[in-house]
Every structure is written in C-alpha cells, then in structure tokens.
Amino acid sequence: MYLILIYDVGEERVNRVHKICKKYLIWIQNSVFEGDITDSNFFKLSGELRKVMDKEKDSIITFQFESDRKFKKKILGVEKNSTSFEVW
Amino acid sequence: MYLILIYDVGEERVNRVHKICKKYLIWIQNSVFEGDITDSNFFKLSGELRKVMDKEKDSIITFQFESDRKFKKKILGVEKNSTSFEVW
C-alpha cells in the first residue's frame, strides 16, 4: 500500500517518532512522511509508534492508498524533501 | 475534489495561514486540513496562501483525490478534530 503519515507529538518524543518513521517511509516535510509500505511493515511501524507515543496527548494520522497513482501531489513554496512534486 | 493540505510555515505566519485554510477546509490536526473543495475554491485558496506565505521559507503540500473513498484514514492516539476516523 502507499501511505501518508502525519504526526503531532510532544516535543520530547519527536526525535524517537521521527526515527521510527524514517525506517519505513520517506520524510517529506516537517512531521509528514510518505511511501510504499507492506502490510507487515505497517503493522511493525504502528507497533513501534505505540510504544513510544503518549496516547493521551499525541496524535498520528495515516492515509492509506492502493498506490501513489490515486492522488495528485502539489507543493507551494519550498520543497523540503521530495519524492516527486508538481509545481503548484 | 477531496483535498488534504499540510502546512509548514514560519511561526509568525501560522495564524494567517490557519485562518485561510479554515475558510475552505476542515482542520484535523496541528497543521493538517482536509475536505471537499471545488476547483474554483482551490484556486482561491492557493491564491490567498500565496499572498501570505514566504515562498523562500514556507512549504504547503496538498494531496488531491477524486473523493474521500480513495483512501482509508486511521488515527493512533488522540483524535484532535475529526471528520470520520477508524480506530487504528
């Protein structure tokens, strides 16, 4: 599947959450990751995140797609880190 | 179309960017918005954002879909503000 992951976690947990996401996905902006991921790796990723995050305070949202052909991605302003962007 | 918008802008511009996005979309987390939007409103939204943002420093990414049936959304942790979430 193709995944977009956006985290909103306490500052003291940002580094750990960022490192976990980086093992499975591509970092594209601030607290946003994306990339192809297998079901089993998605299971591993969510398990690792659960251990580190504070479930009372933090929030991690994922959007899952069949493939990266299911959406059009555009960027306005700076391209911080990209897979492939269209100019907006 | 259905839109996910994620902004990463300088602190001094966050309020203005947030207010503009709120006119057209639903706020779901920290710097993330989503919602149905017409082509003409998307054009207006991007025009308003262009005026406010610093194109050398800020970054706004959008993901466009035909509809919200093209993806599965899940949340881990706190539901900050939601349209409809599945428990992860």
Side-chain angles (χ1 to χ4, degrees):
Chain A
M1 74 179 96
Y2 200 85
L3 200 74
I4 298 169
L5 182 150
I6 307 150
Y7 65 73
D8 178 9
V9 304
E11 222 182 305
E12 61 278 27
R13 290 176 296 280
V14 164
N15 274 349
R16 276 176 293 164
V17 166
H18 193 93
K19 270 187 194 167
I20 293 168
C21 293
K22 224 176 161 183
K23 283 164 59 182
Y24 299 95
L25 299 164
I26 302 156
W27 174 73
I28 58 160
Q29 186 205 70
N30 196 14
S31 51
V32 187
F33 283 81
E34 66 168 88
D36 261 316
I37 190 165
T38 58
D39 286 354
S40 67
N41 273 345
F42 181 57
F43 186 77
K44 282 186 205 166
L45 168 62
S46 54
E48 289 186 47
L49 290 172
R50 274 176 208 276
K51 277 184 202 159
V52 163
M53 72 189 291
D54 181 334
K55 279 174 206 146
E56 308 294 310
K57 293 178 185 162
D58 300 338
S59 173
I60 298 174
I61 299 177
T62 59
F63 296 92
Q64 297 170 33
F65 316 87
E66 273 172 52
S67 81
D68 60 357
R69 292 184 186 178
K70 294 290 174 189
F71 58 85
K72 256 173 75 179
K73 183 168 59 172
K74 292 186 180 179
I75 188 162
L76 193 60
V78 186
E79 192 176 317
K80 303 227 168 173
N81 196 0
S82 91
T83 45
S84 62
F85 281 116
E86 221 178 282
V87 177
W88 196 7
Chain B
M1 74 179 97
Y2 200 83
L3 199 72
I4 298 168
L5 182 149
I6 307 151
Y7 65 74
D8 178 9
V9 304
E11 223 182 304
E12 61 278 26
R13 291 177 296 279
V14 164
N15 275 348
R16 276 176 294 163
V17 166
H18 193 92
K19 269 186 195 166
I20 293 168
C21 294
K22 224 177 162 182
K23 283 165 58 182
Y24 299 94
L25 299 165
I26 302 156
W27 175 73
I28 57 160
Q29 185 205 71
N30 196 15
S31 51
V32 187
F33 284 82
E34 65 168 87
D36 261 316
I37 190 165
T38 59
D39 286 355
S40 68
N41 273 346
F42 181 56
F43 186 77
K44 281 186 206 167
L45 168 62
S46 53
E48 289 186 47
L49 290 173
R50 273 174 208 277
K51 276 185 203 159
V52 162
M53 72 189 292
D54 181 334
K55 279 174 205 146
E56 309 292 311
K57 292 178 186 163
D58 299 339
S59 172
I60 298 175
I61 298 177
T62 59
F63 297 91
Q64 296 171 32
F65 316 88
E66 272 171 52
S67 82
D68 61 355
R69 291 184 186 178
K70 294 291 173 188
F71 59 85
K72 256 173 75 179
K73 182 167 60 172
K74 292 187 180 178
I75 189 162
L76 193 61
V78 186
E79 192 175 316
K80 303 228 166 167
N81 196 359
S82 91
T83 45
S84 62
F85 280 116
E86 221 178 280
V87 176
W88 197 6

